[in-house]
Amino acid sequence: MKDGTKATHAGRRPMDYDGVVNPPVMHASTILYPTYKDLQQSRVARAGDGVTYGVHGTETTFALETAIQALEGGYRTRLQPSGLVACTLPLLAYASSGDHVLITDSAYGPTRAFCNGMLTRMGIDVEYYDPLIGGGIKDLMRSNTSVVWVESPGSWTFEVQDIPTIAEKAHKAGATVIMDNTWASPLYYKPFEHGVDVSAQAVTKYISGHSDLVMGSVTCTEASYDKFQQAQTQTGICPSPDDVYLAMRGIRTIHVRLPHHMQAGLQVAEWLSNREEVAEVIHPALPGDPGHEIWKRDFLGASSLFAFILKPEYSNPVAQAAMLDEMKLFGMGFSWGGFESLLIPIDPPKLRTATKWPNNGRAEGGVMRIHIGLEDVADLLDDLDEGFARMRKIG
Ligand SMILES: *Cc1c(COP(=O)(O)O)cnc(C)c1O
C-alpha cells in the first residue's frame, strides 16, 4: 500500500469498537485481569506487547505507534512524551559508561546539550564529527564506539549526510546508527532503507502538524528493538493519551499537508534566492545546493524548513529586528512543522565544535531560519517583501 493509504488506515480497527472510526482514548493505569492465569501470563509478556499496565501502552498509544511504523518502516515504534526524549532515550539505551559515541556537528542543539551533560557525566566519551564526513567516519571509529548519531539535513545548517556510507562503516565497526529523522518526517525519508538502526522523530513537528502538542517516537529495527524496549520500560517513560489522540488526527492528513509544505517552501526559497538582501538560500531541494545530489538520491521529498544567509550589510541585529518585529503572518518562535509560518534569526557557530560555520563554500552573514506553513504563498511573499523593505531602510 502507498503512504497516503497507510496514513489514513494504519492503526485503526473500527469494528473492534462498535464501528467507531478512530481508536478510543484510553485513560488507564490499572488493567484488570479476569483470572489468576491471565495475570501470571501478563507478567511474563514483554512490556509493550499487549495492554498490561498504563505505563506500557494502551490501544490508544499502540494505534499511533502502528501508524508511524507503517510509514517510517522498521520493526516497531514506541511513543515518547517529547521529541527530545526520542533523541535522549536511544542514547541511554545503546551507549554505556566507558563507550565512545560519534555525534554529527549539525545535531539538534538540545541533543548536543544532553550529550555534553548527562552522557559525559555518565563517563561516555562524546565526539562530534563533520556532518559531511561520509566514508571518512571509519577513521574515527574506535573499538568502544557504540553509537553513530546522524541527522540529515542538519538542524539550522541543513547539510545532507551520506547516511548509507556512514552506516556501512559504523556497522563494520559494530556501532548502532541512530538518526534524528524529524526534518523529512516518516514520509520523505525512509531511514531503514539507508542502513539506520533506530530513528527518532519529533512528532511535535509535521506528524502532529498543528502546534498544539509535544511528542516523540522511536522506531527500531527488529535486531535493535529489545535494547530500546528495556530502556523504555526501565525509565517508565510514556505519553499522555489525549496528546496521542491529537497526534493521531495529525498523521491522518500528513500526506496531504507535506506536498503543500514542500511546494510552498520551494516557491518561497526560489523567491528568496532572487532578493538583493539575501546572499544565499540553504535548501537541499534547490538545484545547486551542496547537498542536492544526495538529497535527490535518498529523499522522497522536502519539508518546508530551511534557512537563508543575509548580505553583510543586513546582518546586524537592528536591521533584522526591523524586519522581524513587524511581520504580519510570520511568527517568531521555536519549533516548526505546524500549519503556520515562522521566521527566526539563528546563530549556527554557537552549536559547532568539530567544524567551522560557514562550511561547504557558504557565504558569511546573519542566518535566518524559515518555516513555510499552509497560508497562501502570495500573502507570505507580501509579508516578506514588506519586511525586507523595513530592513533596507535600516541596513
Ligand atoms: C524539535 C526537534 C526535536 C525535539 O522535539 P520536541 O518535541 O520539541 O522536544 C528534535 N529534533 C529535531 C531535529 C527537532 O527539530
Side-chain angles (χ1 to χ4, degrees), residues 34-299:
T35 66
Y36 176 92
K37 192 167 151 232
D38 288 315
L39 180 72
Q40 296 309 325
Q41 272 170 357
S42 87
R43 288 192 170 142
V44 294
R46 185 168 62 175
D49 289 350
V51 181
T52 55
Y53 180 58
V55 170
H56 302 147
T58 65
E59 296 294 345
T60 312
T61 43
F62 297 153
L64 180 58
E65 289 173 352
T66 302
I68 294 174
Q69 185 277 328
L71 289 175
E72 194 160 35
Y75 168 70
R76 180 102 197 245
T77 300
R78 297 308 312 272
L79 294 178
Q80 311 302 324
S82 73
L84 184 54
V85 174
C87 296
T88 58
L89 194 55
L91 284 163
L92 286 177
Y94 299 103
S96 305
S97 174
D99 285 356
H100 168 245
V101 298
L102 284 165
I103 311 286
T104 176
D105 211 22
S106 55
Y108 175 65
T111 301
R112 282 183 85 100
F114 176 79
C115 292
N116 296 341
M118 196 93 74
L119 284 196
T120 303
R121 193 159 58 70
M122 287 167 54
I124 293 163
D125 187 358
V126 176
E127 183 182 356
Y128 294 94
Y129 69 88
D130 181 348
L132 302 169
I133 198 166
I137 194 91
K138 75 172 191 311
D139 300 329
L140 301 182
M141 302 299 302
R142 300 183 198 160
S143 57
N144 61 339
T145 307
S146 53
V147 170
V148 175
W149 184 273
V150 294
E151 181 180 335
S152 183
S155 274
W156 284 9
T157 46
F158 304 94
E159 294 94 339
V160 182
Q161 296 196 266
D162 188 350
I163 292 176
T165 302
I166 293 174
E168 189 213 322
K169 308 291 180 204
H171 288 155
K172 263 198 191 130
T176 299
V177 178
I178 313 178
M179 176 179 192
D180 184 331
N181 190 28
T182 302
W183 182 83
S185 92
L187 227 48
Y188 286 163
Y189 193 80
K190 305 294 182 186
F192 305 103
E193 293 174 13
H194 302 283
V196 170
D197 301 300
V198 177
S199 174
Q201 280 284 343
V203 171
T204 307
K205 311 291 167 55
Y206 288 115
I207 294 175
S208 84
H210 293 74
S211 306
D212 52 2
L213 63 94
V214 288
M215 193 173 298
S217 68
V218 173
T219 303
C220 301
T221 58
E222 187 165 7
S224 60
Y225 179 65
D226 268 335
K227 220 167 185 181
F228 183 74
Q229 181 271 329
Q230 285 165 31
Q232 178 125 28
T233 307
Q234 286 166 21
T235 51
I237 283 170
C238 59
S240 118
D242 293 310
D243 286 345
V244 173
Y245 185 81
L246 274 181
M248 202 140 34
R249 277 193 151 195
I251 205 168
R252 299 301 175 209
T253 59
I254 189 172
H255 59 296
V256 181
R257 288 181 284 112
L258 270 210
H260 181 103
H261 281 293
M262 174 171 171
Q263 284 314 319
L266 276 168
Q267 254 179 286
V268 175
E270 276 158 18
W271 183 88
L272 285 168
S273 16
N274 294 317
R275 290 296 306 198
E276 59 166 288
E277 302 85 355
V278 174
E280 201 177 340
V281 176
I282 307 174
H283 191 315
L286 283 185
D289 185 277
H292 187 67
E293 291 309 313
I294 296 181
W295 173 81
K296 224 167 53 182
R297 184 191 72 187
D298 293 350
F299 286 70

Side-chain angles (χ1 to χ4, degrees), residues 324-338:
L324 291 168
D325 286 353
E326 285 172 57
M327 298 302 285
K328 294 192 184 82
L329 299 175
F330 282 88
M332 217 187 330
F334 300 107
S335 204
W336 48 276

